[in-house]
Amino acid sequence: MDRNTFTGLFLIMIVLAGSFYFFGPSQTEINKEKERIAADSLKKVAAATKTTAPAIAAAKPAVDSATLSGPFGGSIAGTVQTTVLENENLKLTLTNKGGKILSVEVKGQKTYDGKPVILFDGDQNKFGLKMNIGGKEVNTNDLYFAATKTGNLVSMRANYLGDKYIEYTYDLKPKSNNVAFNINLNGLNQVIQTDSIALNWETTLLEQEKSGKKEKEHAAPFYKYVNETPDHLSIAKDETEELKKGKIEWFSFKQQFFSAVLLPKVAFESGKLGITVLTQPGEIKRYSADMKMHFGQLATQNYAMDFYFGTNKFDVLKAQGHEIEKQVDMGYWPLKYINRFVVLPVFKFLEGFGWNYGLIILILTILLKVAMSPLTYKSYISMAKMRILKPEMDVIKAKVGDDNPTLLQQEYLKLYKQVGVNPLGGCLPMLLQLPFVMAFFFFFPNLFELRGESFLWMKDLSTYDDFIKFGFTIPFIGDHLSLMCVLMTISTLIYTYFNNQISGATGQMKYIGYIMPVVFLGVLNSYPSGLNYYYFLANMLTFAQQFLIKNMVDDEKIHRTLQENKTKPVETKKKSKFQSRLDDYMRQQQQTQIQSKKNK
């Protein structure tokens, strides 16, 4: 290419670029053209939809006459219809699709935001029999039943052929939370060749409480083998468990304060339970159950059961029998025995007076403190003795030094034996009280009676009081601050300060006690306000006890007694087993140190 040709082509490119720039459409015109094209496309799609919709509907396969006249032909297709069973306690909505309970409302109870308590609802609830008929699995959840209502009894029937049918009956008695449920199989022994059928129940339990996170921590499927203690699946993760260790007496879909329980008259042969933790708003967990039932090849086979839909109130569940009340978490051994046989009876007794539950917790705390007062007194006296001995212990430490801790401990033990002091005397009474303190940690979060009950600024004693709402989440604290938890923390810090004054704690021990209350602030901030209220009251009553004991105890008298003990012959003092073991341990440590020095 010569220079003239190249120059001509270059000039033509400049002219074309300039024409595109100066004579091309503006950005506004381009945008308008895009909007016009998009509008035309939408019109074409709408027209195409109108044209093809009838064709698609027409293309939908219809149930042929052979299928309709065959097994379960009249139950394969139908129109969904509902029937309501209702009494003073429950409102059940039954559907002919599957012949099942579609939804359950527990009357007289409200969710935290004031709506009716609906345990489960909608198509997410599946319930039916799985049977092998003609080599194929038939699930009655997919069949349409014919409903007949007589009073508070509803019959759901799906015809197989001729006089062969499946019938469910639901009977709701007045003022009851129980629904009598019967499965009647008539003539199906001619078509079911297996010796068992399966009962399948799947449902999504809905959120009822203020804290969905805490509600999930108390929700799990429970089950009980015959002659064994009830057990449950994981509360923290998805899990599926095969139940093959024995016959199953009952199983339940438990939430924090409500349960759906199925109790067969004849125990299930075996089964499988599953749980899935859900993250969708308003939903807690999804439960599934497949229970194997024996099929005896009888012309008429009947399976009788009972549903329980209602609260997890301990005495209500206990009245159901079968140890269903044990699904209410009362803590580990021995805490569950303290809660069940001590705390709960006293609480129910106080409840009989009709007082506000805040007042009941106050009286309960006072009674507990009075019962524990002898231990509190012994603990105070023991700590006072150690405080009075501290100057003498400091003298010993100055003489021995810190280089030989074993020798220092031996000298301390000699002093303890001379004055008759047990260094653990202040700890043992506190340890004996600890199970009662821990028992309430399980008692209040699972106590249905506190649900919805208010006291002072606390609207619901069964959940946290978000006195301050942040609008955002702070690590370790959460999105709120509970005023009762703050008061409990402050009172614990004050208690720690005065306790250090009594015991004469120094060094690291003096400051360790201040760390735990701060930790508990983060842990208990989302726990029920009733629990924090109890801990706050316990601290305040402890202050009062120590004030009274301090006025009753004369430190000078204790000091004189300790000095008098020094003058008594050591042989007359009986050595405790603890002191004997401690002496042996100290001697072994001293010998080890001496041997180490020789080896060096």
Side-chain angles (χ1 to χ4, degrees):
M1 182 183 295
D2 59 19
R3 179 183 296 179
N4 293 331
T5 303
F6 177 80
T7 303
L9 289 174
F10 182 72
L11 292 173
I12 290 171
M13 291 175 63
I14 292 176
V15 171
L16 289 174
S19 64
F20 275 115
Y21 180 79
F22 290 106
F23 301 107
S26 65
Q27 186 62 41
T28 303
E29 292 172 334
I30 292 173
N31 291 337
K32 288 183 178 180
E33 183 64 17
K34 288 181 178 179
E35 292 175 358
R36 185 188 66 78
I37 294 173
D40 290 343
S41 299
L42 289 174
K43 290 179 181 179
K44 290 179 181 179
V45 171
T49 302
K50 290 181 180 179
T51 304
T52 57
I56 294 173
K60 185 179 180 180
V63 181
D64 57 40
S65 57
T67 302
L68 291 174
S69 60
F72 290 117
S75 302
I76 293 175
T79 303
V80 175
Q81 297 176 340
T82 59
T83 305
V84 174
L85 271 181
E86 193 170 4
N87 67 3
E88 296 83 352
N89 298 346
L90 297 174
K91 180 180 179 181
L92 310 177
T93 302
L94 285 72
T95 175
N96 65 327
K97 176 67 181 298
K100 64 192 176 188
I101 299 175
L102 185 67
S103 70
V104 174
E105 175 186 343
V106 182
K107 288 187 174 183
Q109 303 296 331
K110 299 292 183 182
T111 62
Y112 185 78
D113 52 2
K115 297 178 181 179
V117 170
I118 308 294
L119 298 187
F120 52 83
D121 190 16
D123 293 334
Q124 291 180 319
N125 179 51
K126 298 180 179 180
F127 186 89
L129 297 177
K130 291 181 179 180
M131 303 172 293
N132 190 314
I133 298 180
K136 295 181 180 180
E137 182 179 84
V138 174
N139 191 334
T140 62
N141 188 74
D142 302 323
L143 301 178
Y144 288 84
F145 287 64
T148 303
K149 182 178 180 181
T150 305
N152 257 17
L153 187 145
V154 172
S155 169
M156 296 280 189
R157 179 176 293 192
N159 288 318
Y160 177 77
L161 277 177
D163 61 349
K164 302 179 181 64
Y165 59 83
I166 299 173
E167 182 185 42
Y168 299 158
T169 61
Y170 300 88
D171 189 7
L172 179 61
K173 301 298 183 184
K175 299 180 180 180
S176 177
N177 287 87
N178 295 87
V179 182
F181 173 62
N182 282 276
I183 302 173
N184 300 312
L185 306 180
N186 191 70
L188 295 186
N189 60 311
Q190 301 175 21
V191 294
I192 299 177
Q193 303 303 319
T194 57
D195 62 354
S196 66
I197 59 176
L199 177 66
N200 170 254
W201 188 10
E202 300 177 26
T203 192
T204 298
L205 295 185
L206 306 177
E207 186 175 326
Q208 315 292 346
E209 312 306 325
K210 182 177 182 178
S211 174
K213 179 182 177 181
K214 287 299 176 185
E215 193 172 0
K216 287 179 180 179
E217 292 176 1
H218 294 85
F222 275 71
Y223 61 92
K224 181 183 182 301
Y225 289 116
V226 175
N227 298 325
E228 291 193 19
T229 302
D231 202 352
H232 62 86
L233 269 61
S234 172
I235 62 173
K237 62 181 181 180
D238 298 353
E239 185 182 9
T240 300
E241 184 172 343
E242 297 283 348
L243 309 180
K244 295 182 177 181
K245 295 181 181 179
K247 294 189 175 183
I248 302 164
E249 192 171 331
W250 56 264
F251 71 91
S252 73
F253 294 161
K254 177 186 176 292
Q255 291 182 249
Q256 183 175 8
F257 292 118
F258 299 93
S259 285
V261 187
L262 184 57
L263 302 99
K265 301 296 183 182
V266 177
F268 297 117
E269 296 292 314
S270 61
K272 181 173 71 173
L273 283 177
I275 181 173
T276 304
V277 181
L278 303 177
T279 57
Q280 294 88 336
E283 299 179 349
I284 299 299
K285 294 178 179 178
R286 181 159 183 83
Y287 296 159
S288 64
D290 284 284
M291 295 293 154
K292 183 178 178 182
M293 301 187 298
H294 177 69
F295 185 72
Q297 295 296 330
L298 301 175
T300 300
Q301 190 93 29
N302 177 268
Y303 303 93
M305 308 177 193
D306 279 311
F307 284 105
Y308 168 80
F309 300 114
T311 68
N312 288 336
K313 201 171 183 179
F314 189 88
D315 53 351
V316 173
L317 292 179
K318 187 177 181 180
Q320 296 289 321
H322 305 277
E323 297 183 298
I324 297 177
E325 74 279 1
K326 289 187 177 180
Q327 69 177 1
V328 179
D329 188 8
M330 289 288 183
Y332 307 103
W333 184 92
L335 307 182
K336 61 182 178 181
Y337 298 107
I338 294 173
N339 279 328
R340 184 170 182 178
F341 300 110
V342 179
V343 180
L344 185 61
V346 175
F347 184 91
K348 299 302 291 183
F349 172 76
L350 296 174
E351 189 182 32
F353 292 98
W355 296 334
N356 179 279
Y357 282 93
L359 180 59
I360 291 176
I361 295 175
L362 171 60
I363 302 301
L364 181 65
T365 310
I366 292 174
L367 292 176
L368 178 62
K369 283 296 180 180
V370 170
M372 295 293 173
S373 57
L375 294 175
T376 305
Y377 179 80
K378 288 184 178 180
S379 178
Y380 183 94
I381 295 298
S382 182
M383 287 189 293
K385 289 179 179 179
M386 294 297 295
R387 185 184 72 251
I388 293 170
L389 280 179
K390 190 175 184 307
E392 297 185 46
M393 295 173 65
D394 291 340
V395 173
I396 293 174
K397 185 175 182 181
K399 291 181 179 179
V400 175
D402 297 327
D403 298 335
N404 194 338
T406 303
L407 179 59
L408 180 63
Q409 290 299 321
Q410 284 183 332
E411 294 300 322
Y412 282 165
L413 287 175
K414 290 180 181 178
L415 177 63
Y416 297 152
K417 287 188 290 184
Q418 287 176 352
V419 299
V421 170
N422 184 351
L424 297 180
C427 299
L428 293 176
M430 298 299 293
L431 289 175
L432 292 175
Q433 297 182 60
L434 188 59
F436 287 87
V437 176
M438 295 179 62
F440 283 96
F441 186 80
F442 293 91
F443 183 74
F444 286 115
N446 294 284
L447 187 64
F448 177 84
E449 284 81 351
L450 296 184
R451 187 178 186 272
E453 297 293 336
S454 62
F455 182 67
L456 300 177
W457 66 88
M458 298 170 285
K459 296 180 181 179
D460 188 342
L461 291 171
S462 70
T463 188
Y464 59 85
D465 65 293
D466 46 357
F467 191 79
I468 299 177
K469 299 179 182 179
F470 301 136
F472 53 88
T473 301
I474 299 177
F476 185 67
I477 296 295
D479 60 356
H480 69 278
L481 196 61
S482 168
L483 178 57
M484 185 52 72
C485 187
V486 171
L487 293 176
M488 181 276 298
T489 302
I490 294 174
S491 66
T492 306
L493 290 171
I494 296 173
Y495 169 76
T496 302
Y497 171 78
F498 283 108
N499 196 54
N500 286 340
Q501 300 299 312
I502 296 172
S503 62
T506 58
Q508 292 182 349
M509 293 301 297
K510 183 177 180 180
Y511 298 102
I512 289 176
Y514 294 108
I515 298 175
M516 294 309 297
V518 178
V519 173
F520 285 143
L521 174 63
V523 173
L524 297 177
N525 188 49
S526 295
Y527 271 73
S529 55
L531 176 65
N532 286 313
Y533 173 55
Y534 159 74
Y535 286 143
F536 170 75
L537 290 175
N539 287 337
M540 300 306 295
L541 290 173
T542 301
F543 296 155
Q545 280 184 324
Q546 290 185 349
F547 178 78
L548 293 174
I549 294 173
K550 185 177 181 180
N551 290 332
M552 294 167 55
V553 173
D554 185 354
D555 285 1
E556 292 295 331
K557 183 177 180 180
I558 294 177
H559 185 266
R560 288 195 301 270
T561 302
L562 296 179
Q563 297 306 315
E564 290 173 1
N565 288 340
K566 288 184 179 182
T567 62
K568 296 179 181 179
V570 177
E571 290 76 15
T572 61
K573 300 174 186 176
K574 186 178 180 181
K575 185 183 293 187
S576 67
K577 293 181 179 179
F578 171 78
Q579 289 176 327
S580 299
R581 288 194 296 268
L582 196 56
D583 287 345
D584 293 338
Y585 173 76
M586 289 300 177
R587 280 194 293 269
Q588 292 175 5
Q589 291 296 314
Q590 189 174 22
Q591 291 174 0
T592 302
Q593 289 182 355
I594 294 173
Q595 187 65 37
S596 298
K597 290 180 180 180
K598 288 181 178 179
N599 294 335
K600 291 180 180 179

